[in-house]
Amino acid sequence: MNLEPSRPTRRVRIAPSILSADFARLAEEVQAIEAAGADYVHFDVMDGHFVPNITIGPGVIKALRKHTRLPFDVHLMIAPVDPFVSAFVDAGADILTVHSEAGPHLHRTLQLVRSHKIKAGVSLNPATSADAIAAVIAEVDLVLVMSVNPGFGGQQFIESQIEKVKTIRGLIDASGRSVDLEVDGGVTAENAGRLIAAGADVLVAGTATFNGGRGQYAANIGRLRAAALA
Ligand code: DX5
Ligand code: ZN
């Protein structure tokens, strides 16, 4: 007889990262992933300082807000964060995720995000251990585990991060709070099942969603979801 408490069936969500979308047609792209079954739009905001790449800012997110009803899952790979929080809230972010490494006062930054009545997320780079966020589990609605070094799409999945996902799932379950666990970077149909089994809920997928062009988005998302639930 299995005495293990049954794990609550967590809803698996797919969050395509527009980093891999056609930047010349972003409104059409977010509409296409919504029609293809995406659960969130994942925005990779990069400042060329915290990460070695520059992408989009609040203006692009604001411009896209009226084109889809999907939740905007905004991943800030920027430092400092605090001066820009209100601009991303005003742009329409539903979830604003900040890096634990982006500044000296993570707790204050998370309180600032939550003061705007949107969901707060914290992200960890591959070299950052799970205990770096143990003290702020009560301040977040989402933990984002980077499974690549942030800056670019299409990179190789870093296998060691699966153990971190398991550790963070343990921290979340021990807290008794419903905190989503998102994984970002190199996620494919080949590793999706292992990530969900390790305790992830939300899978960011840039390349795996946009590969093959617009006619493939629904099949790509369907394949990811099927693999995640297998
Ligand atoms: C890295 C970015 C990427 C992106 C996903 O800074 O955050 O991880 O979201 O890219 P793929 O799914 O193409 O690895
Ligand atoms: Zn991201």
Side-chain angles (χ1 to χ4, degrees), residues 17 19 42-46 73 75-77 99 144 146 182 184-185 204:
S17 161
L19 192 63
H42 184 85
F43 291 93
D44 283 312
V45 177
M46 302 182 191
D73 173 29
H75 176 193
L76 295 181
M77 290 163 272
H99 267 263
L144 172 54
M146 292 306 297
E182 187 175 52
D184 181 359
V204 174

Side-chain angles (χ1 to χ4, degrees), residues 17-20 42 44 46 51 75 77 144 146-156 184-187 204-209:
S17 161
I18 60 137
L19 192 63
S20 308
H42 184 85
D44 283 312
M46 302 182 191
V51 291
H75 176 193
M77 290 163 272
L144 172 54
M146 292 306 297
S147 38
V148 295
N149 285 298
F152 303 92
Q155 299 180 85
Q156 195 64 35
D184 181 359
V187 174
V204 174
T207 305
T209 297

Side-chain angles (χ1 to χ4, degrees), residues 64-163:
L64 293 170
R65 185 62 278 180
K66 59 179 175 295
H67 291 287
T68 175
R69 283 190 307 279
L70 287 180
F72 279 7
D73 173 29
V74 179
H75 176 193
L76 295 181
M77 290 163 272
I78 68 173
V81 174
D82 293 15
F84 302 98
V85 166
S86 59
F88 283 101
V89 173
D90 295 346
D94 295 287
I95 306 166
L96 201 56
T97 297
V98 306
H99 267 263
S100 57
E101 310 89 351
H105 302 293
L106 175 60
H107 188 282
R108 178 188 290 144
T109 299
L110 293 168
Q111 284 185 315
L112 173 62
V113 171
R114 278 196 152 170
S115 72
H116 288 275
K117 308 288 180 245
I118 63 166
K119 291 186 174 181
V122 63
S123 184
L124 304 97
N125 285 328
T128 305
S129 63
D131 53 26
I133 53 109
V136 294
I137 282 283
E139 310 305 324
V140 298
D141 306 285
L142 178 141
V143 177
L144 172 54
V145 174
M146 292 306 297
S147 38
V148 295
N149 285 298
F152 303 92
Q155 299 180 85
Q156 195 64 35
F157 179 78
I158 300 173
E159 286 287 337
S160 64
Q161 301 308 298
I162 291 191
E163 279 311 305

Side-chain angles (χ1 to χ4, degrees), residues 39-59:
D39 297 291
Y40 296 161
V41 183
H42 184 85
F43 291 93
D44 283 312
V45 177
M46 302 182 191
D47 65 358
H49 166 65
F50 183 70
V51 291
N53 194 1
I54 299 175
T55 56
I56 61 167

